């Protein structure tokens, strides 16, 4: 059942400062009892015995877990406990997610409004099979599923006064908030992305050697003049889509309980929550989605992608010209699909359907959880300290309107907090409270099925890592000690750790 959507609230300028990130207006929560809280503490406690799997560990998403498929559709099935009537909404949302949008005017009124500048013609074009994107293989390849976010520091950003620690920024005055490498006929695309790699050798214990590729990003063929001299560019790869509704249903209090911004426990890990502005509720909320946790809900993440990636207006981002700026006058004057029976190019019904689909993509079950090598890798994962950021388990809120997502024991392996990942992974671009060195801990569930689903094994925020081992070796900053421990492991232990990750 699609949730009813509240009407859009008044503009930010007329609102007083509001409450903080513990508020969860997107959820209809049934409060936990004391007995339930005690049971949850027990079932989510760190393991002590690594000779056998934990109870319920195979069910990554609780009762919502889907069976493992051996084809590329492993991420594309609805949660296993979705009701029969709701499956129609799921299929309609899937159709919207896969829809190829066309330019206006068009005889197909339900599908026009593309661009005028865009990165892709559909959601599925970036999230192929609902999996993760990949960087271009050659200079001549298009950069679909990888784009450059652009921002300029702005000390006058009003959100800096409303949210403590917020880094004020504004879109580039010429190119907007994202660089688009496609355009409708008659308009030039904004740029072409070029990536050059430098191979870096890393010696590992036991005589093994790994090679990391360090990317350098260049914006070539800028069609509308130079970027702002202070423009900050951040490469972003399309992430996998599974389990988003379950992540959205994790109690904010449980996420914030894992924050340790001043490293009070001395373990070297100081996760911080991102606090962002909600376009739906016009209040600060806990950031959960996006590579820097820049959006608070699945709906807002979907709406922002419609605008910036495909150039489609919607109730939360109603600009008919998408990400075009006032400097791009021809782009703003181009035909668009606003003003017909839909109102926006993606109306509230369409946004609701895509949001429902995105919330209910099922998480596959674990594999080989009782394998001795996998159990040894799990032990290393915990003893080395990987679980300090990749927190294994939660129990979601009990929800009045979505029982299939509510009160589920889930195993996403993330704390949904920001962590300083060091110079090697720094992009230099702040986002809300996130610094240019911080990234949200990505969920690990399903990561072992990446090649099966997406046809590649590229990881991290820009796809630079070509394997899980490379991804681990890029860790720095708060994860430097864990990376070094992996470097010095005996080869058999290192292989066991990777086997554990592949089982998730």
């Amino acid at each position: 059942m699609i949730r009813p959507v509240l009407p859009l609230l008044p503009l930010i300028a007329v609102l007083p400062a509001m409450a903080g990130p513990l508020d969860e207006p997107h959820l209809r929560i049934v409060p936990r009892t004391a007995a339930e809280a005690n049971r949850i503490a027990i079932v989510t406690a760190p393991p002590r015995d690594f000779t056998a799997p934990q109870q319920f560990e195979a069910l990554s998403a609780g009762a919502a877990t889907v069976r493992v498929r051996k084809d590329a559709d492993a991420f594309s099935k609805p949660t296993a406990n979705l009701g029969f009537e709701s499956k129609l909404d799921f299929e309609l949302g899937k159709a919207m997610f896969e829809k190829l949008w066309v330019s206006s005017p068009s005889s197909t009124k339900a599908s026009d409004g593309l661009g005028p500048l865009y990165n892709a013609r559909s959601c599925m074009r970036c999230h192929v099979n609902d999996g993760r994107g990949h960087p271009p293989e050659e200079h001549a390849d298009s950069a679909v599923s990888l784009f450059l976010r652009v921002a300029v520091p702005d000390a006058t950003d009003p959100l800096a006064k409303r949210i403590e620690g917020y880094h004020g920024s504004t879109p580039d005055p010429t190119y907007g908030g994202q660089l688009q490498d496609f355009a409708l006929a008659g308009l030039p695309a904004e740029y072409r992305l070029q990536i050059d790699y430098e191979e870096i050798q890393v010696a590992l214990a036991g005589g093994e050697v790994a090679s990391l590729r360090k990317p350098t990003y260049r914006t070539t063929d800028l069609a509308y003049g130079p970027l702002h001299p202070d423009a900050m560019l951040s490469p972003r790869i399309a992430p996998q889509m599974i389990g988003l509704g379950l992540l959205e249903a994790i109690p904010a209090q449980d996420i914030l309980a894992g924050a340790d911004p001043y490293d009070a426990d001395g373990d070297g890990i100081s996760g911080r929550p991102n606090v962002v502005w909600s376009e739906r509720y016009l209040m600060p909320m806990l950031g959960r989605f996006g590579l820097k946790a820049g959006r608070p809900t699945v709906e807002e993440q979907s709406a922002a992608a419609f605008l910036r990636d495909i150039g489609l207006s919607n109730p939360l981002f109603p600009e008919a010209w998408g990400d075009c700026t006032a400097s791009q006058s021809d782009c703003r004057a181009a035909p668009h699909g606003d003003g017909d029976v839909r109102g926006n190019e993606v109306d509230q019904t369409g946004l609701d359907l895509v949001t429902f689909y995105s919330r209910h993509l099922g998480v596959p079950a674990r594999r080989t959880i009782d394998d001795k090598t996998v159990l040894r890798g799990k032990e290393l994962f915990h003893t080395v300290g990987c679980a300090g950021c990749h927190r294994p388990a939660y129990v979601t809120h009990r929800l009045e309107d979505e029982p299939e997502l509510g009160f589920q024991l889930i195993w996403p392996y993330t704390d949904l907090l920001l962590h300083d990942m060091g110079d090697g992974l720094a992009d230099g671009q702040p986002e809300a409270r996130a610094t240019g060195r911080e990234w949200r801990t990505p969920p690990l569930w399903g990561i072992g099925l990446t090649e099966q689903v997406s046809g590649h094994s590229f990881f991290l925020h820009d796809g630079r890592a070509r394997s899980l081992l490379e991804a681990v070796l890029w860790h720095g900053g708060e994860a430097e000690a864990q990376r070094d421990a992996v470097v010095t492991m005996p080869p058999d232990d290192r292989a066991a750790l990777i086997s554990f990750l592949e089982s998730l």
Side-chain angles (χ1 to χ4, degrees), residues 63-129:
T65 307
V66 299
R67 67 178 180 86
V68 180
R69 299 173 59 96
K70 296 183 179 180
D71 58 22
D73 290 332
F75 288 174
S76 299
K77 300 304 174 184
T79 54
N81 56 352
L82 192 65
F84 178 78
E85 293 182 0
S86 295
K87 288 182 179 178
L88 175 58
D89 290 330
F90 181 86
E91 292 301 326
L92 290 172
K94 179 183 177 71
M96 283 286 293
F97 196 82
E98 296 177 343
K99 175 188 289 191
L100 287 174
W101 294 84
V102 298
S103 60
S104 298
S106 169
S107 60
T108 310
K109 293 298 183 184
S111 299
D112 72 351
L114 174 68
L117 302 174
Y118 60 97
N119 294 103
R121 289 183 57 198
S122 72
C123 306
M124 188 65 78
R125 186 66 180 90
C126 291
H127 303 276
V128 176
N129 299 326

Side-chain angles (χ1 to χ4, degrees), residues 20 32 122 130 136 155 182 202 223 282-283 341 376 419 421 426 441:
R32 291 175 176 173
S122 72
D130 302 293
F182 291 98
V202 178
L282 296 184
M283 60 183 285
V341 68
R376 173 58 178 159
H419 295 275
M421 296 302 294
T441 305

Side-chain angles (χ1 to χ4, degrees), residues 210-251:
S211 183
L212 307 183
R213 57 176 190 173
K214 179 181 179 182
T216 299
Y217 296 92
R218 289 193 291 150
T219 55
T220 63
D221 302 332
L222 287 166
Y224 298 87
L227 289 158
H228 189 282
D230 297 325
M232 304 172 290
L233 300 176
S234 177
R236 306 287 177 93
I237 205 88
Q240 64 186 29
M241 296 291 296
I242 57 174
L244 299 186
L246 293 164
L247 296 176
E248 189 176 53
I250 296 173

Side-chain angles (χ1 to χ4, degrees), residues 416-455:
L416 293 177
L417 297 173
L418 301 170
H419 295 275
D420 183 333
M421 296 302 294
D423 290 335
L425 292 179
D427 67 341
Q429 184 182 120
E431 184 173 348
R433 292 179 63 185
T435 71
R437 292 167 55 96
E438 289 180 317
W439 299 94
R440 182 204 67 165
T441 305
L444 297 182
W445 51 12
I447 198 168
L449 296 172
T450 297
E451 188 165 7
Q452 174 183 316
V453 170
S454 302

Side-chain angles (χ1 to χ4, degrees), residues 192-470:
R192 187 169 60 86
L193 175 62
Q194 184 167 317
I195 311 175
D196 297 300
Y197 292 104
E198 172 192 358
E199 293 288 338
I200 301 174
Q201 303 299 308
V202 178
L204 307 174
E208 296 181 347
V209 177
S211 183
L212 307 183
R213 57 176 190 173
K214 179 181 179 182
T216 299
Y217 296 92
R218 289 193 291 150
T219 55
T220 63
D221 302 332
L222 287 166
Y224 298 87
L227 289 158
H228 189 282
D230 297 325
M232 304 172 290
L233 300 176
S234 177
R236 306 287 177 93
I237 205 88
Q240 64 186 29
M241 296 291 296
I242 57 174
L244 299 186
L246 293 164
L247 296 176
E248 189 176 53
I250 296 173
Q253 184 173 358
D254 290 356
I255 297 171
L256 294 174
D260 185 15
Y262 303 108
D263 193 19
D265 61 7
D267 66 354
I269 298 173
S270 52
R272 302 190 311 121
N274 204 353
V275 179
V276 302
W277 188 257
S278 167
E279 299 293 339
R280 168 63 68 188
Y281 302 103
L282 296 184
M283 60 183 285
M285 290 178 65
L286 176 67
R288 299 173 188 247
F289 301 104
L291 294 168
K292 293 202 176 195
R295 298 291 176 188
T297 66
V298 177
E299 182 197 33
E300 295 193 35
Q301 180 74 3
S302 302
F306 270 132
L307 183 83
R308 286 183 166 177
D309 297 356
I310 313 179
L312 298 171
S313 63
N314 58 78
L316 295 184
F317 299 96
E319 295 81 6
W321 47 78
D323 193 40
C324 300
T325 68
S327 298
Q328 297 167 317
S329 55
D330 289 345
C331 178
R332 287 205 172 188
H336 57 75
D338 269 19
D340 60 20
V341 68
R342 296 171 296 174
N344 299 119
E345 291 161 336
V346 177
D347 62 12
Q348 188 62 56
T349 298
L351 181 58
D352 287 345
L353 287 170
V354 167
T355 300
F356 187 87
Y357 174 74
S358 301
R359 281 189 178 126
H360 293 86
L361 282 165
V363 180
R366 285 277 306 279
R367 287 86 55 211
T368 62
I369 63 171
D370 55 356
D371 180 86
K372 290 184 178 180
T373 300
V374 169
L375 288 169
R376 173 58 178 159
K378 176 184 174 182
E379 181 177 14
L380 291 164
F381 185 87
H382 283 268
T383 56
V384 164
C386 303
C389 297
H390 292 282
R391 178 177 169 179
Y394 300 85
V395 172
T396 60
H397 276 303
R398 193 184 294 278
L399 301 174
E400 291 181 1
D401 56 340
E402 291 198 278
E404 66 274 6
L405 302 179
F407 212 62
Q408 301 296 330
L409 171 61
I410 63 173
W411 305 77
Y413 286 87
T414 175
D415 60 8
L416 293 177
L417 297 173
L418 301 170
H419 295 275
D420 183 333
M421 296 302 294
D423 290 335
L425 292 179
D427 67 341
Q429 184 182 120
E431 184 173 348
R433 292 179 63 185
T435 71
R437 292 167 55 96
E438 289 180 317
W439 299 94
R440 182 204 67 165
T441 305
L444 297 182
W445 51 12
I447 198 168
L449 296 172
T450 297
E451 188 165 7
Q452 174 183 316
V453 170
S454 302
H456 65 78
S457 55
F458 298 134
F459 301 103
L460 298 179
H461 67 276
D462 56 1
R464 70 178 66 187
R466 295 161 293 192
S467 67
L468 290 171
L469 178 59
E470 285 188 34

